[in-house]
Amino acid sequence: MRSIRTLSCFVICFTATLFFSSIGRGDDIAEHARKLHFSSVVLDTHDDTTQRLFSKSYDLGRRNPEGHVDIPRMREGGMNAIFFSIWIDGRTMGPPAVQKALDQIDVVLENVRRYSTDLVLARTADEVRQAQAKGKIAVLMGIEGGHMIGNDIRILRMFEALGIRYMTLTHFYNNEWGDSSTDKPVHDGLTDFGKEVVREMNRQGILVDISHVSDKSFYDALEVSKAPLIASHSSCRAISNHPRNMSDQMIKDLAAKGGVIQINYEKSFLDQAYKDAYESATGSVVVSMEEILKSCGDDSGCVILEMSRRDRLLTEQGKLPHVNWEKIVEHIDHVVRLVGSDHVGLGSDFDGAKMPDGLEDCSKLPKITEALLRKGYSEDDIRKILGRNLLRVMEQAEHVSRALRAEK
Ligand SMILES: [Zn+2]
């Protein structure tokens, strides 16, 4: 009898100890995560918020009820470095494409000026670190689609002078010199001019971004580029087999040359079941984007709101499954297992994609840090994933640029 009582006491006491110590540990991790997250450079390489800056109903400086990014939510989520994407539909080419890209660069720079208490333009890895040290948000710009240089390499140089730090070689459609992952190949990758563009990007210190390009364009860029490449907003095909994502072999080859894949939070890219359901409900991301662009007309700020509205409706109708934010961590972990912690980062596609449940906007970013800590990741690895990996690649591109510019 006594031994049974002793045993039951032992079981209860042991269970209670486990329970309370796990609560204690959980709180420690949450606090640890908060400190780590808010003392790190948290850099997101792809945000389509630029489109919203033209809208009269949107103000970057105040909390907006819709969309994914504004200064108050960036502060709340500890996001202190952001690449505003300069994007126009890939079917607009030549001088009108250049003009529209300039309109967008101007609207970003005007917002940096308007909100200079919070924001500062950054062109180098060092300037991103300086911004963080001063408690400011570093604003960077990336051109999303090589069609915006209007087939003129001098425009690329002008973009660099205006502060552009990366260029995605294509968007959804092929351009005159490169094949896209979501179009029928016509150039067998990059043309000779396309390869010349990559060389000039190296010379200018503009990161070569291979998100959106066909596999052959990726390998052409990898061969030509003297600096490591980035995928500014792509995820893993091993988890969701989408042409916008990267295969394990591509990730290994990208990493072997020092590059980074910045994980995209778009539900189709995160989750195979969602991708399949979305394609049977709408056709594809390209088809559905074409429809949305048609219905939004010239109001580019409406695209993200319309995209979210359609997604909500189809989910309510049971045509699309829910996708949980932890899928993002699964993709990060997949890359780390494949090539280590030096080659992965964050490229949300906020304001340009459909966000998973639980990561509805940039204010939720600390969850990712906490999840990685709970998985046993070291502080150092987490800081790399949050931003240092990308800063390392920027520094390498800056180094290559200095060497190439010194050549006569
Ligand atoms: Zn994109």
Side-chain angles (χ1 to χ4, degrees):
M1 190 65 182
R2 183 192 274 168
S3 66
I4 288 173
R5 207 176 293 140
T6 310
L7 181 66
S8 63
C9 172
F10 174 76
V11 170
I12 290 165
C13 296
F14 182 69
T15 311
T17 308
L18 268 185
F19 177 71
F20 286 113
S21 66
S22 75
I23 286 182
R25 200 162 54 237
D27 286 349
D28 286 351
I29 289 179
E31 181 55 17
H32 184 181
R34 205 188 62 76
K35 280 192 184 143
L36 174 61
H37 188 85
F38 285 92
S39 62
S40 298
V41 169
V42 180
L43 189 160
D44 186 329
T45 41
H46 197 87
D47 295 84
D48 284 312
T49 314
T50 316
Q51 308 298 323
R52 305 198 72 206
L53 299 176
F54 292 99
S55 168
K56 285 195 172 64
S57 61
Y58 176 82
D59 183 343
L60 182 64
R62 66 175 172 77
R63 199 182 176 90
N64 294 263
E66 287 163 319
H68 308 144
V69 172
D70 45 49
I71 292 169
R73 285 184 284 176
M74 278 191 264
R75 291 293 194 194
E76 207 177 310
M79 188 163 117
N80 50 25
I82 178 171
F83 271 89
F84 281 99
S85 167
I86 307 300
W87 171 82
I88 60 162
D89 188 342
R91 290 165 294 184
T92 303
M93 293 192 184
V98 180
Q99 175 67 55
K100 286 184 176 212
L102 289 174
D103 290 345
Q104 295 195 20
I105 292 170
D106 176 69
V107 82
V108 171
L109 296 178
E110 278 300 291
N111 271 273
V112 172
R113 185 189 57 75
R114 185 173 171 199
Y115 293 110
S116 58
T117 318
D118 289 291
L119 309 179
V120 62
L121 186 72
R123 293 164 181 260
T124 62
D126 217 35
E127 286 176 7
V128 173
R129 288 192 201 96
Q130 285 168 24
Q132 187 226 3
K134 288 180 188 153
K136 291 206 172 198
I137 296 169
V139 170
L140 303 102
M141 292 182 285
I143 293 272
E144 191 181 13
H147 56 292
M148 275 172 271
I149 66 166
N151 284 325
D152 187 339
I153 219 142
R154 294 171 306 168
I155 303 293
L156 187 61
R157 295 199 276 266
M158 296 296 111
F159 282 161
E160 191 282 330
L162 292 171
I164 295 298
R165 286 350 267 159
Y166 75 66
M167 185 169 82
T168 321
L169 299 178
T170 72
H171 192 248
F172 279 150
Y173 307 99
N174 303 331
N175 56 32
E176 296 95 326
W177 44 267
D179 286 339
S180 162
S181 62
T182 43
D183 204 347
K184 284 195 193 85
V186 292
H187 303 301
D188 189 29
L190 298 179
T191 65
D192 287 344
F193 179 72
K195 291 174 185 170
E196 195 48 42
V197 169
V198 170
R199 285 188 202 102
E200 187 60 25
M201 288 171 75
N202 285 166
R203 209 165 76 85
Q204 298 300 320
I206 299 175
L207 297 173
V208 178
D209 176 18
I210 54 77
S211 283
H212 280 287
V213 305
S214 71
D215 293 11
K216 180 62 168 51
S217 297
F218 161 70
Y219 278 106
D220 284 352
L222 194 68
E223 194 186 323
V224 172
S225 180
K226 289 196 160 65
L229 307 182
I230 64 161
S232 71
H233 59 308
S234 295
S235 303
C236 308
R237 277 188 204 162
I239 303 175
S240 180
N241 189 15
H242 196 294
R244 275 283 287 104
N245 286 345
M246 296 182 78
S247 69
D248 284 358
Q249 191 56 51
M250 289 163 82
I251 294 170
K252 283 182 191 169
D253 295 333
L254 175 89
K257 288 193 93 173
V260 281
I261 171 172
Q262 304 279 108
I263 300 299
N264 189 319
Y265 313 165
E266 155 63 41
K267 288 192 275 187
S268 297
F269 303 164
L270 290 178
D271 188 87
Q272 186 74 48
Y274 181 92
K275 175 203 175 269
D276 294 342
Y278 190 78
E279 285 179 358
S280 54
T282 66
S284 72
V285 277
V286 181
V287 172
S288 106
M289 181 59 96
E290 281 172 2
E291 280 176 14
I292 291 170
L293 285 172
K294 226 180 272 170
S295 80
C296 284
D298 281 342
D299 181 4
S300 54
C302 111
V303 170
I304 182 60
L305 303 182
E306 182 58 18
M307 195 191 284
S308 303
R309 193 190 64 77
R310 289 176 184 217
D311 175 61
R312 241 185 343 260
L313 193 70
L314 289 168
T315 309
E316 277 163 20
Q317 290 169 352
K319 291 181 182 159
L320 297 175
H322 283 275
V323 178
N324 190 274
W325 68 276
E326 283 170 328
K327 272 276 169 189
I328 298 167
V329 179
E330 199 184 311
H331 281 257
I332 293 172
D333 198 48
H334 179 78
V335 178
V336 172
R337 283 166 195 270
L338 203 61
V339 292
S341 59
D342 290 339
H343 305 286
V344 63
L346 310 176
S348 66
D349 216 346
F350 281 138
D351 285 329
K354 304 177 295 299
M355 292 297 123
D357 296 349
L359 217 116
E360 289 81 6
D361 61 31
C362 67
S363 72
K364 317 279 184 183
L365 284 172
K367 283 176 155 182
I368 294 178
T369 299
E370 189 174 331
L372 292 173
L373 267 184
R374 284 186 196 282
K375 266 190 175 298
Y377 277 58
S378 71
E379 277 202 12
D380 196 43
D381 282 349
I382 295 172
R383 286 195 205 273
K384 285 185 198 169
I385 293 162
L386 293 175
R388 280 188 185 166
N389 285 338
L390 202 282
L391 295 182
R392 181 199 73 229
V393 174
M394 279 181 79
E395 272 169 349
Q396 285 168 299
E398 288 161 22
H399 180 76
V400 168
S401 169
R402 276 194 297 276
L404 292 174
R405 283 178 202 240
E407 287 175 8
K408 291 280 180 253

